[in-house]
Amino acid sequence: MHEKTAKPSSTSLSAGLSVREAQACILGKATPLGTEDISLERALGRVLAVDIRANRDLPPCDISAMDGYAVRAADIANAPVTLQIVDDIRAGDAPRAALRRGQCARIMTGAPVPGGADTVVRVEDTRPSPDDAVEILVPVPAAADIRRRAENMRQGEIVLRAGTSIGPGTVGVLATVKQATVTVYRQPCVAILSSGNELEALREPFDPARIPDTNTYALMAQVQAQGVEPERLGITRDDPAELSGFLERGLANDLLLISGGASVGVHDHVRPTLAALGVAMHFWRVEMRPGHPAAFGTLGHTLVFCLPGNPVSSMVCFEQFVLPALRALTGHQHLFRRTVPARLTQSIKSRPGRVEFVRVTLTRNASGIYEAVHAGSQSSGDILGMARADGLLIVPSASKGLATGETARVQLLETGAYQAESDLGDGV
Ligand code: AMP
Ligand code: MG
């Protein structure tokens, strides 16, 4: 796909890549996995690996869009006029015969329009008349309320392209063209490992001296939000032998996420242990805050992400690096979170040198403009900020901060797509 190799922004690798360079480096190694055939009922959230064609014309013939009477437009040009009812056509019926002058057919929505008829008059525009007749009250132009043969899709035409993400509407199309089995890109196997002697597992007894393992579950949820079910490897202590055992298991996957232990402390063994297992590291610093010690390597086709231990850093790095990789592996064409411009209703300080991802909540003002406010504490250890955030506001690396009223880009997180009120605008 993207066979670019990222060049470090400085001659020294320890200076770290820019976020953009790091993304390019990762995406150069993340090509879609193979394909598999799955049943349509399981296809939501997957990506089509083949073009899909219509297997029939739809509608298969001219059909009525309304309950009413199929007539010859010329017969009713001087309505009101009374016509003889010669047929009663329901959806699924075949019309008995073509209409002759002065005749009409009672017709239901979805029923085939009989020969001779060129328009449909709605029931509301008619009045029953004795002796199998009906009074047509208004003239109707030709072709009214008729859905033409193949106006929705024509047999053989491509209705969905390979690379389409399958949403509920896509599932509807696939069912319509009778794709009971769908060829999609395979889902990656993703393993998640937390590292640190201090970590207390979710179901371990409470110990006030330890730190709860946040990252395993936050990262699992980020993967699950992409429709992929990860494997939880658990917690490894900061011990090279134990770590090595866990990593070996993790490296059997398409994607391995390790949080913690990737910095340069004497007890941070992740990078050397990965290297000892043959993983080639492509970068190990990114000029961002939070998330500076993010690292990325590969072993064969396996992508390995070392995420910083602080829960917010690990989640922010997931958003920038793991998410696009995961989406590339699963065949998605849109790899990145949507960004929107937002007006700051508060100033934001920043230290120049690294791009900063600020957790913000978003609201829309009366003119539809996004307004951003801090989502509370910006500590990279404070998971509460991440839980509250609707988005990550991007402060460019050269900036010393942004003033109230300035506009910045905000990367939208999963939240924020819903609102409290059913606000459909006027006239609804
Ligand atoms: P490290 O990257 O291992 O130096 O860890 C940085 C900080 O993140 C330390 O305060 C760790 O206790 C914390 N940390 C590491 N892993 C986790 C985790 N899985 N859940 C919550 N906090 C963590
Ligand atoms: Mg640690």
Side-chain angles (χ1 to χ4, degrees), residues 59 102 245 270 272 382:
V270 171
D382 188 353

Side-chain angles (χ1 to χ4, degrees), residues 28-253:
K29 317 267 179 214
T31 44
L33 302 165
T35 66
E36 62 179 341
D37 291 345
I38 59 168
S39 67
L40 179 59
E41 294 89 330
R42 309 207 58 80
L44 182 68
R46 305 292 291 270
V47 180
L48 274 178
V50 292
D51 291 344
I52 301 290
R53 293 176 186 275
N55 67 334
R56 53 150 70 94
D57 287 348
L58 261 192
C61 58
D62 292 356
I63 61 172
S64 177
M66 286 290 165
D67 291 338
Y69 293 87
V71 304
R72 301 150 57 100
D75 287 355
I76 63 165
N78 299 315
V81 57
T82 300
L83 300 177
Q84 206 59 37
I85 305 170
V86 296
D87 202 350
D88 187 354
I89 314 167
R90 292 168 303 175
D93 286 351
R96 257 185 253 141
L99 298 187
R100 296 207 303 268
R101 189 184 297 174
Q103 295 184 332
C104 69
R106 186 178 290 119
I107 194 163
M108 302 295 141
T109 304
V113 175
D118 58 4
T119 195
V120 169
V121 185
R122 304 165 184 224
V123 185
E124 301 89 302
D125 295 329
T126 68
R127 194 158 48 204
S129 206
D131 302 324
D132 280 341
V134 63
E135 194 183 353
I136 307 293
L137 303 174
V138 292
V140 166
D145 288 319
I146 293 180
R147 287 174 55 210
R148 291 290 175 202
R149 173 179 184 162
E151 78 174 27
N152 299 142
M153 51 181 83
R154 187 167 295 282
Q155 181 175 5
E157 86 176 331
I158 292 178
V159 287
L160 295 170
R161 294 270 175 201
T164 301
S165 302
I166 302 177
T170 326
V171 170
V173 174
L174 291 164
T176 304
V177 301
K178 306 278 287 178
Q179 292 280 320
T181 301
V182 190
T183 305
V184 295
Y185 289 104
R186 183 167 77 70
Q187 296 278 72
C189 298
V190 179
I192 295 176
L193 176 66
S194 284
S195 78
N197 289 350
E198 75 281 25
L199 297 180
E200 179 182 272
L202 180 64
R203 294 186 169 83
E204 264 187 318
F206 173 77
D207 174 351
R210 296 170 76 193
I211 299 290
D213 174 15
T214 306
N215 297 353
T216 290
Y217 296 92
L219 289 169
M220 278 180 75
Q222 285 180 298
V223 173
Q224 286 164 335
Q226 294 300 313
V228 175
E229 194 51 48
E231 183 194 354
R232 178 170 59 84
L233 295 178
I235 299 170
T236 169
R237 287 177 301 126
D238 295 315
D239 166 73
E242 184 177 321
L243 176 62
S244 185
F246 274 102
L247 292 179
E248 259 184 285
R249 240 181 88 197
L251 287 167
N253 291 270

Side-chain angles (χ1 to χ4, degrees), residues 287-305:
E287 295 306 322
M288 64 192 283
R289 196 178 300 118
H292 186 239
F296 169 69
T298 49
L299 178 64
H301 292 293
T302 302
L303 309 182
V304 184
F305 292 86

